[in-house]
Amino acid sequence: MAKDDKRRRCEEVNKDMISSLPNVIIGHILSFLPTKDAVSTCILSKSWRELWKSLSNFDFDDRTWKSKIIFGNFMDRFFYVHNSRENSITKLRLRVHGNYPSSRLSQWIDAAIKDNIEELILWIPLFTHVPLPQRLFSCEKLVVLNLSYGIAIDLLGVGVRFACLKVLHLEGLPMLDDLASIEKLLAGSPVLEELKIEHVDCRSRNALRVCSSSLKRLTIRFTRIRYDRKDPGCRALTLDTPNLELLILTDFVSEELNMQQLPCSLFEASISVAFTHYFIVRLDSYIDMAVQFLRLIMPIVRTLRLCGTTMRILSNAVRKKLPCFEDLPYFGNLTRLEIEASGDCRWMVLHGILKCSVKLEVFIIYKDKAFTVQAKDPPKWQSLAYLNSSVIPKWRNPEFAPRCMRSSLKVIECVDFEWDFSEIEMAEYFIKNALVLEKMAIRFGWGMTHNSKERVAKRLSGYERGSKACQITFSSP
């Protein structure tokens, strides 16, 4: 009797509970698996053989397959079979790295795009030319569209009707030099909330206007432009996005930056701009333009990151004593500030920015790797040669402590902290004068030796603190 009970319990434990579920529920479970794993379930039993084909969510990446040939043959069969079925694909992520004929890739994409497509993510090798079917631009249920590199888009004579599109990512596409096509995509996307444009090799010097009243998150990355004597125009970027909440701007190609409507809801911004030698505008004019652009968002933004190139622009404004950097408006809402700088960029600009940041709570300073002074051995703190070095500017205490240090600044982080004597003096100034500081975090750089870390930690830990609640922590990469 006991043996029968034990056998019955074993049978209950080993019972296949999943196979007894309705196919709809099993299909829903499979949709959370990588497509290759979902396909592998067909060998479990006869009842599972066809289940994966009923899915509508697929994620293909040829790097996860044994060979590109096997992957290509599978994709041919998959789209042939799936194209004959009633249920259409709603989500497709296709990432390929192999050398497939453009015509073959076009057939896959063409078979996948139906009226019910909701999410389409395509990553095609750079030197491939795969045209998108024109009917994609009238898919009114499409919510997410992410296109990278080898995708060719021709909007000549094509109407764009993306009634539900909320996320649009465009990276490295040839069409990104056709700025009119970008504006046409935006005009046909009335509910777009997130836009990301990345182009590292710009060729057009025309003006780009990003206009969207629904846009909340915007990322633009233009890092290089090809100079053409036949097209010496002045490239400009205009933002007309009144409801923007997040702005990540890396633009080394635009000579003009404009903001058509002030985004009063702007919560977070990261700004990286730079002057390059082939610009038509003069350096002083560019600096004035960049500072004026920053002045527009100063009263609004709550979280701000100023990258190394931007800090160098601001330091030039201070060095040249340009009027644009004088009487800066307050950062009325800024509570978190991150800057990336090295050398005189930090000391010449930092005082002015902190003075304007009256509500600042978190301050993080990163070292600009492009301008980091390299040294094999840490300098001797008592060495006159080091202290008088013209390579590393000296930290100078401001005449008056900024308001935020007396009332709101609670967290300070120094990232890639090394043996720069000015960094040590800066840290000591913050420790002594930040009266409500709760945490001072020092994150050492790769170049610091164990002995140097111990000396820095000993010196800063024993320094007089303006806040009794302040804790000083040290960490290594």
Side-chain angles (χ1 to χ4, degrees):
M1 188 70 178
K3 291 183 178 180
D4 293 339
D5 291 340
K6 186 176 181 179
R7 187 183 300 109
R8 192 181 306 110
R9 287 195 298 269
C10 290
E11 290 176 353
E12 291 178 357
V13 170
N14 295 326
K15 186 178 180 180
D16 184 2
M17 301 294 293
I18 295 181
S19 295
S20 62
L21 295 173
N23 288 347
V24 176
I25 297 179
I26 296 177
H28 181 69
I29 295 173
L30 292 180
S31 67
F32 292 97
L33 296 176
T35 300
K36 186 179 179 182
D37 294 339
V39 173
S40 299
T41 62
C42 68
I43 65 174
L44 295 178
S45 68
K46 292 183 179 179
S47 60
W48 285 71
R49 188 170 297 170
E50 302 292 325
L51 279 177
W52 72 272
K53 297 180 181 179
S54 64
L55 300 178
S56 60
N57 181 4
F58 297 95
D59 186 351
F60 297 109
D61 189 333
D62 64 354
R63 294 175 300 178
T64 64
W65 292 68
K66 290 183 178 180
S67 74
K68 303 298 187 288
I69 295 176
I70 295 176
F71 175 80
N73 292 336
F74 171 82
M75 295 296 288
D76 290 337
R77 293 194 304 271
F78 167 78
F79 283 112
Y80 175 79
V81 173
H82 211 282
N83 207 24
S84 62
R85 293 178 177 268
E86 294 183 359
N87 59 308
S88 58
I89 298 174
T90 57
K91 296 182 181 180
L92 175 65
R93 290 174 290 279
L94 176 61
R95 189 178 181 92
V96 297
H97 297 78
N99 186 20
Y100 306 95
S102 297
S103 58
R104 193 179 191 185
L105 294 173
S106 296
Q107 290 176 356
W108 297 350
I109 297 172
D110 189 68
I113 295 175
K114 298 293 192 306
D115 292 339
N116 290 330
I117 190 76
E118 297 177 5
E119 180 177 318
L120 181 63
I121 300 176
L122 301 175
W123 194 99
I124 307 297
L126 180 62
F127 298 106
T128 309
H129 183 84
V130 181
L132 281 182
Q134 293 185 353
R135 68 173 182 275
L136 171 67
F137 301 101
S138 59
C139 290
E140 298 190 354
K141 293 184 179 181
L142 190 64
V143 178
V144 177
L145 180 60
N146 187 332
L147 306 175
S148 299
Y149 299 109
I151 300 294
I153 299 177
D154 184 6
L155 295 180
L156 184 63
V158 178
V160 178
R161 296 187 301 276
F162 287 140
C164 297
L165 189 66
K166 292 188 176 182
V167 178
L168 176 61
H169 290 185
L170 306 172
E171 181 178 0
L173 302 179
M175 63 85 61
L176 293 179
D177 287 316
D178 182 7
L179 304 184
S181 293
I182 299 177
E183 296 178 7
K184 188 173 185 178
L185 284 175
L186 298 180
S189 309
V191 296
L192 188 66
E193 296 182 359
E194 179 176 316
L195 173 63
K196 184 176 182 180
I197 303 175
E198 294 191 51
H199 199 23
V200 298
D201 192 14
C202 303
R203 301 187 182 188
S204 172
R205 301 183 70 88
N206 296 327
L208 172 61
R209 185 169 181 263
V210 179
C211 179
S212 174
S213 60
S214 60
L215 198 64
K216 295 181 179 180
R217 298 173 298 278
L218 174 61
T219 299
I220 292 179
R221 187 169 179 262
F222 298 145
T223 56
R224 186 178 64 183
I225 189 169
R226 295 191 180 185
Y227 179 73
D228 186 355
R229 295 180 182 273
K230 299 179 181 179
D231 183 20
C234 178
R235 179 161 174 149
L237 173 64
T238 299
L239 304 183
D240 188 358
T241 51
N243 294 306
L244 198 65
E245 298 176 0
L246 169 66
L247 172 63
I248 301 176
L249 177 63
T250 302
D251 192 346
F252 303 157
V253 305
S254 297
E255 301 180 45
E256 294 181 10
L257 298 174
N258 305 298
M259 194 167 285
Q260 196 75 15
Q261 296 188 59
L262 201 61
C264 297
S265 56
L266 187 63
F267 182 88
E268 181 178 351
S270 175
I271 308 297
S272 181
V273 295
F275 179 86
T276 50
H277 67 278
Y278 49 76
F279 281 179
I280 296 176
V281 299
R282 298 172 63 92
L283 175 59
D284 288 4
S285 299
Y286 181 85
I287 293 174
D288 181 75
M289 178 277 302
V291 175
Q292 295 299 341
F293 183 84
L294 182 61
R295 291 174 72 106
L296 290 174
I297 67 174
M298 285 181 66
I300 305 169
V301 69
R302 296 186 180 184
T303 298
L304 177 65
R305 181 176 180 127
L306 299 176
C307 299
T309 54
T310 306
M311 291 296 291
R312 291 194 285 277
I313 290 293
L314 297 179
S315 68
N316 276 321
V318 176
R319 186 184 293 111
K320 291 172 171 288
K321 298 181 180 180
L322 299 180
C324 59
F325 200 75
E326 299 176 358
D327 299 323
L328 291 175
Y330 283 137
F331 285 102
N333 297 317
L334 187 68
T335 59
R336 182 185 178 95
L337 172 65
E338 302 179 19
I339 69 170
E340 179 184 299
S342 186
D344 60 346
C345 294
R346 292 174 290 180
W347 319 142
M348 297 180 71
V349 179
L350 184 56
H351 295 164
I353 293 179
L354 289 179
K355 181 181 177 181
C356 300
S357 307
V358 293
K359 296 181 179 180
L360 189 65
E361 297 179 2
V362 178
F363 174 55
I364 304 176
I365 180 168
Y366 300 87
K367 180 161 290 186
D368 185 356
K369 298 291 175 41
F371 282 79
T372 299
V373 177
Q374 300 294 330
K376 294 183 179 179
D377 301 307
K380 298 178 180 179
W381 289 340
Q382 304 301 325
S383 170
L384 291 178
Y386 173 72
L387 293 177
N388 295 327
S389 171
S390 60
V391 176
I392 304 176
K394 309 302 177 294
W395 164 265
R396 295 180 180 179
N397 294 343
E399 186 176 358
F400 300 101
R403 177 177 166 183
C404 63
M405 297 188 64
R406 304 191 304 268
S407 60
S408 60
L409 189 57
K410 297 179 181 180
V411 177
I412 299 176
E413 291 186 25
C414 298
V415 183
D416 287 328
F417 193 95
E418 295 187 349
W419 46 73
D420 184 338
F421 192 80
S422 291
E423 288 183 355
I424 297 171
E425 289 187 325
M426 178 196 68
E428 291 175 340
Y429 175 79
F430 284 136
I431 292 172
K432 182 178 180 179
N433 292 278
L435 303 183
V436 296
L437 190 64
E438 297 177 359
K439 180 181 179 181
M440 178 76 175
I442 305 295
R443 294 163 59 182
F444 293 118
W446 287 98
M448 290 284 283
T449 64
H450 178 72
N451 183 50
S452 301
K453 295 174 185 177
E454 287 188 343
R455 295 175 66 184
V456 171
K458 182 178 179 180
R459 174 164 176 165
L460 295 183
S461 297
Y463 201 74
E464 178 185 356
R465 307 182 190 189
S467 170
K468 295 181 179 180
C470 177
Q471 293 184 350
I472 306 176
T473 63
F474 303 91
S475 60
S476 299

